[in-house]
Amino acid sequence: MSDLSYETSLMIDSAKRLFDKEFDISFIRAFAEDPTSHKCDLFNEFVKLGWSGLSIPEEHGGFGYDHQALCALLREMGHAAAPSLYFSTIVVPSLVLRSLDSNCARDLLLESIAKGQITVIVATDSSTIGAFSAPATMKAEPYGDQYRISGTANYLSDLDIASLLLVPAVSKSGDVILATVNIDSDGIE
């Protein structure tokens, strides 16, 4: 890891210290007994350290680090066997949103993720896991000036702490849209 930038090296050193201090056997046991509250604590710690905005561009409230820094942090999380929601609530939604054309809604979501104001997960089914461009099986039907989404998402990692879902769905015209769904919306089961 000698080819990491000075800033990334400092971040990795602080990550190692945090993981060495916090992720001992007592934490793992406590996490197993009450994962939801510990996930919220972990999320808040990641936000405090600035990791929620690590790879989000600066113009959207992040730090604009490259994927090498992100991968180095994920490597340290894996090395520490850190029970982490970082990948599902920060990395995946940020990457999905950054793959879209810039617009007000997308930019606001990126800024909110960077600041740790929302916890977002991508709701997927077996055909879209690992490949956002795969055919979505969720359906989007016009409903006023919005869409009504129907279907089943079988993969909802860290749903217990999510406040917002990003749902890839197919409209009647065959276009794939990315709907934002509040976790407290009627009809979510």
Side-chain angles (χ1 to χ4, degrees), residues 125-158:
D125 57 46
S126 59
S127 71
T128 59
I129 291 175
F132 180 67
S133 60
T137 59
M138 305 286 271
K139 303 295 181 209
E141 297 179 25
Y143 184 74
D145 63 346
Q146 300 179 345
Y147 287 96
R148 177 174 286 163
I149 308 298
S150 61
T152 302
N154 296 315
Y155 185 75
L156 297 161
S157 182
D158 296 311

Side-chain angles (χ1 to χ4, degrees), residues 29-113:
R29 286 184 180 134
F31 188 91
E33 289 176 18
D34 185 12
T36 300
S37 70
H38 283 43
K39 285 180 182 181
C40 291
D41 292 344
L42 278 173
F43 183 83
N44 291 332
E45 186 68 26
F46 296 158
V47 170
K48 187 171 88 174
L49 292 167
W51 296 349
S52 55
L54 184 69
S55 64
I56 293 176
E58 291 180 54
E59 62 266 22
H60 302 303
F63 292 104
Y65 280 53
D66 60 16
H67 287 354
Q68 183 182 27
L70 178 62
C71 289
L73 178 60
L74 291 170
R75 179 184 176 276
E76 289 307 319
M77 287 180 180
H79 181 74
S84 173
L85 53 115
Y86 185 76
F87 192 75
S88 62
T89 63
I90 296 171
V91 175
V92 172
S94 298
L95 291 175
V96 167
L97 289 167
R98 287 181 61 198
S99 73
L100 304 174
D101 290 336
S102 182
N103 64 55
C104 188
R106 180 206 85 139
D107 296 349
L108 181 61
L109 284 171
L110 282 170
E111 185 176 315
S112 297
I113 292 170

Side-chain angles (χ1 to χ4, degrees), residues 17-28:
R17 284 192 302 278
L18 171 73
F19 298 148
D20 287 347
K21 177 183 165 196
E22 298 295 329
F23 296 121
D24 59 8
I25 193 66
S26 62
F27 177 85
I28 302 299

